[in-house]
Amino acid sequence: TVYDGWFDRRIPRVRLNAEDERPEPFDLSFDGKRKVLSWIRTADYYNFGGVNVFNGLVDLLEQMTTVDFYQMRTEMQQHFRHRRLHALRQFSQLAVRMAES
């Protein structure tokens, strides 16, 4: 099977987790709806605090005059602080388990 990466289509497919059943994201002509629904969960505006979504240029320009950028920045900082602490906890737990085994 060829991993259809965007840098080189000859890159062999490698999965770190054999149970990972997520579909390959690149070829939407095959099972496109399932791929979009699967991968959209990792999109920035679904996962990152403080990210605003706009519906075209007019909406973007309107938001630029009404959005509280300081509040948006604060939400982003809080979100990434929380994500960092979560990742550090997971890493620490893994390190302890590895040391005990």
Side-chain angles (χ1 to χ4, degrees):
T1 304
V2 174
Y3 176 69
D4 191 10
W6 54 75
F7 295 114
D8 186 343
R9 295 185 190 282
R10 297 168 296 171
I11 297 173
R13 180 178 180 192
V14 176
R15 291 204 180 212
L16 297 177
N17 181 356
E19 289 91 39
D20 187 0
E21 293 299 323
R22 287 181 294 176
E24 303 292 349
F26 303 106
D27 183 7
L28 294 179
S29 64
F30 173 73
D31 207 9
K33 182 177 179 180
R34 179 173 162 254
K35 291 177 181 182
V36 169
L37 292 175
S38 173
W39 285 95
I40 200 165
R41 289 180 278 145
T42 62
D44 292 356
Y45 57 86
Y46 285 108
N47 293 295
F48 297 153
V51 174
N52 280 23
V53 179
F54 57 90
N55 298 311
L57 184 59
V58 173
D59 188 31
L60 172 63
L61 294 173
E62 183 178 303
Q63 285 189 35
M64 297 210 38
T65 62
T66 60
V67 170
D68 182 350
F69 289 104
Y70 183 77
Q71 177 63 29
M72 186 186 302
R73 179 176 180 259
T74 301
E75 288 176 21
M76 287 181 182
Q77 287 176 327
Q78 289 173 347
H79 173 79
F80 283 103
R81 198 173 295 122
H82 172 75
R83 294 281 297 257
R84 181 177 182 274
L85 288 174
H86 179 71
L88 287 173
R89 275 190 223 112
Q90 287 184 320
F91 181 76
S92 295
Q93 290 170 358
L94 178 62
V96 167
R97 281 198 309 257
M98 290 178 69
E100 291 173 347
S101 61

